[in-house]
Amino acid sequence: MNIMLFHSTYGLRPAVRRAADRLRAAGHEVWTPDLFEGHTFDTVEEGMAYREETGKDELLRRAVLAAAPYSERGLVYAGFSFGASVAQTLALGDDKARGLLLLHGTSDIAENATADGLPVQLHVAEPDPFETDDWLTAWYLRMGRTGADVEVYRYAGAGHLYTDPDLPDHDEEAAEATWRVALGFLDSLA
């Protein structure tokens, strides 16, 4: 698969590069665009401040420009937290998208969005302060109305960005379970 993997609000940090390497080792081609243009952050608050300062439209513009040269190949869009919301937005706007892998995050869904059978897999902590139960229920129902084929995996007791070994949220067991299921998902798209 050709995978466009977007980073979290922490920026393009080593954990994202390691995730990309893991995907490459499984035979996938992976791109990791730097939407923050070299800026990385030690706290969610710092990253969110940069995100707000830069603006949603500019960050989406950067994401579209990064994905555009490869979209004809049929991309799987993927991302971590904030990056998952970017991936979701791009996947729902790309009729050649092959799949959507969401790690730790989702996004609003436009009323007129369609996804005709798009395979979607979400991995999220339970509970998650950024992805509340009510939000996830509404998201799941709306994503289903787009025509997407959605799977949701919850990890009890894990922190928000539990796949990132460099953060306090890290949960080794949940992270390995996530990667095992996600790699199977990606293999099923081939």
Side-chain angles (χ1 to χ4, degrees):
M1 289 282 95
N2 296 302
I3 302 169
M4 187 65 53
L5 180 63
F6 295 102
H7 60 75
S8 75
T9 350
Y10 286 95
L12 185 57
R13 295 170 58 254
V16 179
R17 291 187 180 94
R18 286 192 300 268
D21 288 344
R22 181 185 281 232
L23 294 168
R24 289 182 187 109
H28 304 289
E29 191 161 356
V30 184
W31 296 274
T32 55
D34 186 352
L35 302 183
F36 288 1
E37 298 181 333
H39 298 280
T40 59
F41 303 97
D42 294 325
T43 69
V44 171
E45 294 77 17
E46 290 171 332
M48 290 173 85
Y50 178 82
R51 189 177 83 192
E52 291 302 314
E53 177 184 312
T54 305
K56 181 179 180 180
D57 290 344
E58 173 59 20
L59 292 169
L60 281 175
R61 185 189 73 76
R62 292 175 187 177
V64 168
L65 288 174
Y70 309 104
S71 64
E72 285 298 316
R73 300 180 186 195
L75 290 171
V76 172
Y77 292 92
F80 298 95
S81 191
F82 156 73
S85 70
V86 171
Q88 177 184 305
T89 300
L90 268 59
L92 292 179
D94 181 353
D95 60 358
K96 290 183 174 32
R98 298 283 309 274
L100 175 59
L101 177 60
L102 303 171
L103 302 163
H104 322 296
T106 61
S107 184
D108 292 329
I109 301 168
E111 288 297 324
N112 61 347
T114 58
D116 292 336
L118 179 71
V120 177
Q121 193 174 85
L122 168 64
H123 297 267
V124 66
E126 181 179 30
D128 188 309
F130 299 102
E131 301 289 326
T132 65
D133 290 344
D134 288 347
W135 168 261
L136 287 173
T137 299
W139 174 86
Y140 178 82
L141 294 171
R142 293 192 69 197
M143 187 62 85
R145 283 195 291 269
T146 70
D149 180 13
V150 182
E151 297 177 331
V152 177
Y153 294 86
R154 305 287 308 267
Y155 299 87
H160 175 64
L161 271 169
Y162 64 83
T163 59
D164 188 330
D166 300 328
L167 296 175
D169 285 350
H170 182 62
D171 183 311
E172 178 80 26
E173 187 177 328
E176 287 308 311
T178 294
W179 286 115
R180 188 171 46 257
V181 173
L183 290 170
F185 171 70
L186 293 168
D187 287 347
S188 76
L189 303 178

